[in-house]
Amino acid sequence: MELLIKNGAVYDPVNGIAGDRADISIKDGKIVEKVSSGASVIDAGGRLVMAGGVDAHSHIAGAKVNLGRLMRPEDSRIGLKSRTKITRVYSGYTVPNVFAMGYRYAQMGYTTVFEAAQAIMKARHTHEELEEIPIIDKGALTLFGSNWPTMDYVREKNLDKLAAYVAWGLLASRGFGVKVVNPGGGEMWGFGKNVTSLDDVVPNFDVTPAQIIVSLMKANEMLRLPHSVHLHCNNLGKPGNYKTTLASMELAKQIKPAKDRQVLHVTHLTFNAWGGTNWGDFESKADEIANYLNNSDNVTTDMGQLIFGSATTMTADGPVQYANAKLLHAKWGNGDVELEDASGVVPIFYAKQISIHAIMWAIGLELALLTKDPYKVLLTTDHPNGGPFVNYPEVIALLMSNKKRQEEIKTLHEAVHKRTKIPGIERELDFNDIAIMTRAGPAKVLGLLDTKGHLGVGADADVAIYDIKPDQIDPSVEYAKIKSAFQSAAYTIKGGEVVVKDGQITATPMGRTFWVDATVPEEQTEIMMKDIRMKFKNYYSINLANYMVQDAYVTHPKVVKAGAIPVKVS
Amino acid sequence: MQTVTIKPRKEIRISVEAENISPDKFAGKTEKEILSMEAWMGNQKTTLGELFSVKVDGSGAAADTKIVMDGDFSRIKRIGEGMTAGLIMIKGNVDMHLGAKMSGGKISVTGNVDSWAGREMKGGELIIEGNAGYYLGAGYRGETCGMRGGKITVLGSALDFVGEHMCGGEIIVKGNTGILPGLSNNGGKIVIEGNTSRPGSEMAKGTIIVNGTVDEMMPVFKVEGTETIDGVTYRKYTGDVIVNGKGVLYVK
């Protein structure tokens, strides 16, 4: 099957194309040099063309997403769409059903999305849901930060075993990368406690969060994994936590990347760039984080932008969710994954007139606007923690228009003037910056730049065409048009197939699931497995044979190879 | 002024989703237009015209629209859902979700109503001369706010969970209610003239007045002595202390 997209105003930062008229040739799901004269043709007519969107951090599948659905039946009453010949019934806003995940991402021109956290033990559930999400390619990051074997090997300073465990954990969970959430805190929460700094010692394991982060970064680079360690910092959700965030970023300096990417991705900064000492003097410290990013090259971040209205917070950070539920008098879902992690789910409503929410709204935007290099700040809402992903077009419009921001600021609590820098920031991002923050950046951060996030020859034929003519629009003023165009793509092409036309789903092919098969020397795996077998014998409530995600759960896999090479990492 | 008269054409045994029966939807519409409005009967799509005879006199805005319903509507759900103005007068019984989410206008029923009447209503008035089912003026599954405003009057009795998650407005039940009226409520006022059991559990705010007997009290209230309202002396309780509630419960 051949397809030619003619006459697009193409933004492809990876290949240095910024709004030039270019044709894109597609054959058998890939972008190629040229196609034959028999190819079907889409005339973009000068409209905006970008690669399919890539989301490196979103909670789209798994145990806690489903707990959110169970806790929020009221959410599933929102946005109900009947079955059509092509689409199935879908509904929900903050915790939509599986079909809505695929359809709505595709409608925005997104074609690749990564679930940000799965415990190995719950991975089968994650994949059961991923299998039902239509259209988009996806993958899931696996939690390693509070796992007993991780902490044992960190204490023993046995990096070979740790690397073998990470490789095996990715295989067991069919996972894509190493996610670390409040390292050590997940274990402490089993005793109703938490860690409060990078140097707190986790009882029974005698390790600190800093040691866990550094060791996992080393193991990650030993295994040459496509993605870096993906960190949800300690002290998230507490005023003054920007210091912990900066200290965590500082740890990355000890490590050299094994690939052309960061060594640490620090996620959803809206929740951990907080100054002050309590809720009274709470303020934004996004400028300090941005300043750090401007002077550092081994750390990337994402916004986790807050969206006013309903959201559902869900995270493997169990203790922060208990605190949230108490603070908000809200419903509270708590989870414990034996030997591995904790979790919590709490619904929230972000209100413009609540000072803390207004400041948090500013943090994500400040970070994106004060950081010079858009490759270092990805566009996310930490769906559904900051707000549902369907609001990305709103975020794009806010980033592209100071006028829109100023109008929004007028409706917010006055604290946004005194305790954030956002009112004075005039920078407006252009289409190239947006293409980086939503395409090239996430693909690079994930280590998928060979096939995702750009439109060069050899890339996956994932393309979005938006109903905007970049040379005829002033995003600074016509922000409403920008928002509506990004909400509903004129065309979304996934793997060479038109899946969305004029905002309507036209086909629902099954996307692939990315996972990483990292090889380590067999004898290392054997030594490590002795410990794992003991853990199962002594502690786990299930058998090892029932723990691994079988291939039957991943019917459209895309296996990315990685592996240890005999090079010592500092 | 517009008057729309609706009568069932035949006995309806399968439940019908009739959210289109509302002054907002009928205002300014002709008989033909109303007859062709969509309704779902079970899993079949049908029209109001298939199920009902409709007579329209005059034409007007929603506020000037009166819907008169005469007959057995005991399988017709969601009448007056989300209405903002106008009047619905029902001579007969109706099914679930009567006046759900309504924010204005008035609905009166001479017969009985099934569960979820006045669910999440924000304003307006609902008068039920017969009995009400479960969850009168409550929030639907998962909602943290049920009724937020308006007034519901039941001349008969109501079943369990009257005003669950209520955040505002007023519910008056002249007869008895089932268990747990005002469960988890966060505002508003419930007056029960008859008997009830276990009122006000988990209440955070709001007022409940019981003029009959309370069969069973939840052990979650602080005793605050007595208080006289309109010449009637009540025992006064505050709670639910387990949720640090500031709700007030008066029992005669």
Side-chain angles (χ1 to χ4, degrees):
Chain A
M1 220 197 81
E2 293 186 325
L3 181 65
L4 177 66
I5 302 167
K6 276 170 58 175
N7 235 344
V10 177
Y11 282 86
D12 183 8
V14 174
N15 297 298
I17 306 172
D20 304 332
R21 291 295 168 102
D23 295 349
I24 295 160
S25 303
I26 292 169
K27 190 179 178 187
D28 299 332
K30 290 280 179 187
I31 292 174
V32 294
E33 204 68 61
K34 59 194 283 191
V35 283
S36 67
S37 54
S40 28
V41 175
I42 293 173
D43 187 353
R47 287 179 292 181
L48 176 66
V49 175
M50 290 182 180
V54 180
D55 193 342
H57 188 110
S58 181
H59 297 276
I60 55 169
K64 62 191 176 316
V65 176
N66 217 39
L67 178 57
R69 293 188 186 112
L70 288 168
M71 281 171 62
R72 303 205 65 183
E74 79 278 17
D75 189 79
S76 66
R77 289 159 67 194
I78 303 167
L80 180 64
K81 288 271 195 295
S82 318
R83 184 176 65 179
T84 68
K85 284 195 175 118
I86 299 161
T87 54
R88 298 180 66 168
V89 174
Y90 65 100
S91 79
Y93 177 59
T94 70
V95 277
N97 68 356
V98 281
F99 312 120
M101 299 281 187
Y103 300 151
R104 290 183 186 156
Y105 263 115
Q107 281 167 334
M108 297 194 305
Y110 273 70
T111 50
T112 310
V113 181
F114 278 74
E115 159 59 41
Q118 60 167 355
I120 304 173
M121 197 167 172
K122 304 279 184 182
R124 195 173 282 138
H125 181 153
T126 308
H127 287 288
E128 280 175 325
E129 286 194 30
L130 291 179
E131 283 290 295
E132 296 297 331
I133 296 178
I135 303 176
I136 54 175
D137 285 343
K138 58 252 159 179
L141 307 180
T142 302
L143 291 159
F144 284 101
S146 283
N147 304 38
W148 288 11
T150 299
M151 292 191 289
D152 282 344
Y153 298 146
V154 170
R155 182 185 59 245
E156 293 162 12
K157 297 190 170 54
N158 194 332
L159 278 180
D160 287 340
K161 273 190 181 179
L162 181 61
Y165 175 65
V166 168
W168 176 79
L170 290 176
L171 174 75
S173 62
R174 296 296 192 265
F176 184 78
V178 177
K179 177 75 184 293
V180 181
V181 172
N182 186 12
E187 169 62 21
M188 298 276 279
W189 182 234
F191 302 91
K193 296 194 172 78
N194 197 0
V195 283
T196 55
S197 89
L198 282 171
D199 301 316
D200 272 15
V201 176
V202 182
N204 304 327
F205 288 93
D206 201 20
V207 293
T208 66
Q211 290 166 346
I212 297 172
I213 297 167
V214 169
S215 304
L216 281 170
M217 282 195 286
K218 285 180 180 167
N220 195 92
E221 299 313 307
M222 274 170 78
L223 291 169
R224 301 175 62 77
L225 299 182
H227 187 32
S228 70
V229 165
H230 193 115
L231 176 68
H232 160 131
C233 288
N234 299 98
N235 281 335
L236 182 136
K238 289 182 203 154
N241 62 15
Y242 82 102
K243 287 180 189 156
T244 311
T245 305
L246 286 175
S248 306
M249 289 175 165
E250 195 68 20
L251 294 174
K253 283 194 175 151
Q254 301 177 27
I255 316 291
K256 290 214 163 41
K259 303 197 128 192
D260 178 22
R261 54 147 171 74
Q262 75 290 353
V263 286
L264 181 65
H265 180 79
V266 180
T267 191
H268 43 62
L269 268 289
T270 286
F271 299 95
N272 42 315
W274 295 2
T277 54
N278 57 51
W279 298 116
D281 60 5
F282 180 79
E283 61 178 344
S284 163
K285 285 286 182 186
D287 52 335
E288 301 258 356
I289 305 281
N291 187 37
Y292 185 90
L293 290 173
N294 286 336
N295 294 300
S296 143
D297 275 325
N298 50 5
V299 180
T300 55
T301 64
D302 61 82
M303 296 166 73
Q305 177 62 33
L306 180 141
I307 302 293
F308 293 111
S310 182
T312 302
T313 62
M314 53 178 65
T315 168
D317 198 339
V320 78
Q321 291 294 55
Y322 173 71
N324 274 341
K326 281 283 162 197
L327 188 72
L328 302 163
H329 300 287
K331 298 183 210 178
W332 175 46
N334 183 47
D336 173 58
V337 186
E338 54 192 44
L339 284 75
E340 289 177 12
D341 226 311
S343 73
V345 180
V346 177
I348 192 169
F349 190 92
Y350 294 120
K352 293 184 175 189
Q353 283 305 321
I354 291 179
S355 61
I356 292 157
H357 297 167
I359 294 165
M360 284 169 68
W361 172 85
I363 290 175
L365 297 170
E366 282 178 292
L367 181 78
L369 295 165
L370 294 173
T371 305
K372 287 175 193 142
D373 180 1
Y375 274 102
K376 289 178 185 167
V377 185
L378 312 181
L379 193 154
T380 69
T381 59
D382 187 18
H383 166 87
N385 286 287
F389 65 81
V390 291
N391 295 292
Y392 287 179
E394 164 79 8
V395 184
I396 291 171
L398 285 166
L399 291 172
M400 294 188 84
S401 168
N402 185 30
K403 189 159 180 267
K404 180 175 168 70
R405 291 199 296 271
Q406 297 303 335
E407 280 178 12
E408 186 76 10
I409 286 167
K410 280 182 206 156
T411 68
L412 303 183
H413 190 279
E414 57 180 11
V416 80
H417 290 279
K418 287 176 229 147
R419 294 192 247 149
T420 81
K421 305 267 188 310
I422 196 72
I425 300 175
E426 285 174 5
R427 184 178 176 199
E428 293 179 332
L429 300 188
D430 60 21
F431 288 113
N432 203 53
D433 297 327
I434 297 298
I436 292 170
M437 290 179 70
T438 58
R439 273 91 178 151
K444 182 159 191 245
V445 164
L446 288 165
L448 289 174
L449 208 48
D450 51 342
T451 57
K452 296 288 182 190
H454 72 106
L455 295 167
V457 171
D460 286 349
D462 297 350
V463 187
I465 306 175
Y466 297 105
D467 198 5
I468 311 170
K469 292 182 177 162
D471 53 355
Q472 291 174 22
I473 193 165
D474 180 1
S476 176
V477 182
E478 294 167 89
Y479 48 81
K481 269 192 195 165
I482 296 285
K483 182 175 167 181
S484 77
F486 278 103
Q487 272 170 336
S488 140
Y491 285 92
T492 304
I493 292 149
K494 164 71 178 52
E497 187 176 0
V498 176
V499 291
V500 172
K501 185 166 187 295
D502 300 327
Q504 301 300 313
I505 305 286
T506 54
T508 57
M510 192 62 203
R512 297 167 298 169
T513 299
F514 285 76
W515 66 275
V516 170
D517 182 12
T519 53
V520 287
E522 230 170 89
E523 60 274 16
Q524 274 180 29
T525 304
E526 238 348 278
I527 300 167
M528 182 271 305
M529 283 310 290
K530 276 185 194 155
D531 301 337
I532 299 293
R533 282 190 208 100
M534 281 306 283
K535 286 269 189 297
F536 272 88
K537 194 164 163 253
N538 293 339
Y539 303 113
Y540 271 107
S541 65
I542 62 167
N543 280 320
L544 183 55
N546 297 329
Y547 185 74
M548 312 289 284
V549 175
Q550 302 97 320
D551 283 329
Y553 285 84
V554 189
T555 55
H556 297 77
K558 168 72 182 155
V559 185
V560 179
K561 293 278 182 191
I565 51 161
V567 173
K568 272 277 172 224
V569 179
S570 57
Chain B
M1 187 73 196
Q2 179 177 0
T3 306
V4 184
T5 311
I6 295 180
K7 288 180 182 167
R9 287 189 192 278
K10 57 195 170 190
E11 190 189 355
I12 297 167
R13 291 184 173 175
I14 297 171
S15 72
V16 174
E17 307 269 327
E19 72 276 24
N20 276 331
I21 301 181
S22 146
D24 294 79
K25 302 276 173 65
F26 285 0
K29 293 282 185 345
T30 64
E31 226 161 75
K32 208 176 150 198
E33 284 170 321
I34 292 172
L35 286 170
S36 65
M37 279 183 176
E38 187 182 284
W40 282 80
M41 186 181 205
N43 61 0
Q44 302 291 314
K45 198 192 255 187
T46 179
T47 61
L48 292 181
E50 287 285 313
L51 305 168
F52 308 107
S53 68
V54 176
K55 198 168 137 268
V56 179
D57 292 313
S59 179
D64 295 323
T65 298
K66 179 164 94 173
I67 303 173
V68 180
M69 301 177 68
D70 192 356
D72 181 22
F73 298 95
S74 56
R75 296 317 317 268
I76 313 300
K77 295 178 184 171
R78 298 168 67 184
I79 295 168
E81 180 173 293
M83 67 186 268
T84 61
L87 182 60
I88 303 180
M89 294 170 66
I90 304 164
K91 292 171 194 160
N93 301 331
V94 296
D95 206 341
M96 296 193 281
H97 302 289
L98 173 73
K101 294 199 150 191
M102 68 187 281
S103 57
K106 184 173 166 184
I107 303 178
S108 66
V109 189
T110 61
N112 302 327
V113 302
D114 210 318
S115 301
W116 305 108
R119 154 174 74 79
E120 294 153 33
M121 76 186 262
K122 299 187 193 92
E125 194 176 0
L126 192 53
I127 297 170
I128 298 154
E129 292 180 24
N131 300 323
Y134 298 97
Y135 295 104
L136 176 74
Y140 205 52
R141 302 302 185 202
E143 289 291 347
T144 44
C145 253
M147 186 174 179
R148 289 164 187 265
K151 186 175 177 185
I152 302 177
T153 309
V154 181
L155 301 186
S157 292
L159 294 175
D160 306 344
F161 312 115
V162 168
E164 186 193 46
H165 287 127
M166 187 173 177
C167 289
E170 188 177 4
I171 300 178
I172 298 168
V173 181
K174 298 282 183 189
N176 305 324
T177 79
I179 57 164
L180 295 165
L183 177 63
S184 284
N185 65 356
N186 197 21
K189 184 178 172 188
I190 300 174
V191 180
I192 300 163
E193 300 289 351
N195 307 329
T196 187
S197 185
R198 294 182 236 166
S201 182
E202 287 182 6
M203 76 192 286
K205 269 190 243 163
T207 307
I208 303 175
I209 299 172
V210 184
N211 284 320
T213 52
V214 174
D215 294 342
E216 199 180 333
M217 277 288 285
M218 294 296 285
V220 292
F221 287 97
K222 229 158 88 182
V223 182
E224 305 274 9
T226 59
E227 192 173 319
T228 304
I229 305 170
D230 297 335
V232 182
T233 305
Y234 293 93
R235 280 171 284 150
K236 184 182 176 185
Y237 302 88
T238 57
D240 174 330
V241 294
I242 289 170
V243 294
N244 286 328
K246 306 278 181 288
V248 186
L249 170 64
Y250 295 101
V251 181
K252 199 169 164 182

